[in-house]
Amino acid sequence: MGQRQPKSSFMKKISAFFLFAIIIISCNKQSGVPAGQGPNSLFPLNKGNTWYYQDSVFADSNLIVAYADTMRVGDSLRTDGYGNTYTALVNPYGWFGGSYLMVDHYNSTVYEMDPPDYSPYTFFQTVGVDGPIGRGSDYSNPGCPISSIQYGFANLVSVSGYSCYKNAEVVTDCNNVIREEVISYLSPGVGMVRIEDYLSDSAQGNKLYKDYSQTLTNKVLH
């Protein structure tokens, strides 16, 4: 069974460029039980928590291979420049390989740091009304920068039997062509239930095709 990269090249490249107000989290001092460890946490990060997934890899939305995947809360911690502590996730064959997460004090936002630079950005956020959460740009190719918009959706949706909030991240090139779309579903008290990655195919008029998904099948939470 081949190992899949935890995130696509577009998403890993653009993550560090998101223009979210990270400084806000330095003002939200957590008191009592940290939001990431409460029973209704948007993404429970208690030590020992383990999630079981089915990961699926596609070509032009046709299933190529599916395999069982496990993710658990690791022992490693990291601190950002504002003194916020992030917890490691161990998920070598899935989306969160090498990632560190933190849930904010209001239990409304999940922040993430990825290797190699571990620059914090917003992975997921709940909203009161549908709309953009934040925008970012990647100017590593000045002749054709890449931009990204992340959207939040207010209404809960049912995914694999869980009531979930939904976010969508849309990556667009300088020609206003959508290159990638990532849709994630989180359920309070459960964490990530499903994530879907869609990539465009230039040979098919830049139509978006499902490239990868990771779907929760079971969990052990403390």
Side-chain angles (χ1 to χ4, degrees), residues 55-181:
D55 295 4
S56 302
V57 180
F58 302 85
D60 293 341
S61 296
N62 296 310
L63 180 65
I64 300 300
V65 64
Y67 53 91
D69 182 21
T70 300
M71 179 172 75
R72 64 178 176 83
V73 174
D75 295 324
S76 180
L77 301 174
R78 277 186 174 266
T79 303
D80 65 16
Y82 305 105
N84 301 291
T85 300
Y86 292 68
T87 302
L89 289 180
V90 180
N91 185 209
Y93 301 116
W95 188 264
F96 287 101
S99 294
Y100 287 74
L101 300 186
M102 184 195 75
V103 182
D104 80 323
H105 176 73
Y106 298 107
N107 198 33
S108 64
T109 306
V110 180
Y111 295 96
E112 183 173 2
M113 295 195 296
D114 294 319
D117 56 4
Y118 296 102
S119 178
Y121 62 93
T122 299
F123 163 68
F124 195 96
Q125 188 173 89
T126 60
V127 295
V129 295
D130 296 355
I133 297 168
R135 303 169 186 265
S137 299
D138 173 14
Y139 293 97
S140 58
N141 179 5
C144 189
I146 296 173
S147 62
S148 178
I149 302 177
Q150 186 169 354
Y151 298 90
F153 300 89
N155 292 333
L156 290 165
V157 295
S158 180
V159 179
S160 299
Y162 297 96
S163 293
C164 299
Y165 291 105
K166 174 184 174 182
N167 274 193
E169 189 168 359
V170 181
V171 178
T172 307
D173 67 16
C174 61
N175 298 309
N176 205 34
V177 174
I178 296 176
R179 303 292 298 276
E180 182 171 18
E181 184 170 345

Side-chain angles (χ1 to χ4, degrees), residues 60 200-207 209:
D60 293 341
S200 65
D201 186 346
S202 58
Q204 299 293 331
N206 295 312
K207 181 179 178 180
Y209 290 96

Side-chain angles (χ1 to χ4, degrees), residues 9-29:
S9 57
F10 285 128
M11 298 307 297
K12 286 194 287 187
K13 177 181 285 188
I14 203 167
S15 292
F17 292 86
F18 272 107
L19 304 180
F20 300 119
I22 297 297
I23 193 170
I24 292 175
I25 62 178
S26 67
C27 302
N28 296 339
K29 300 301 182 182

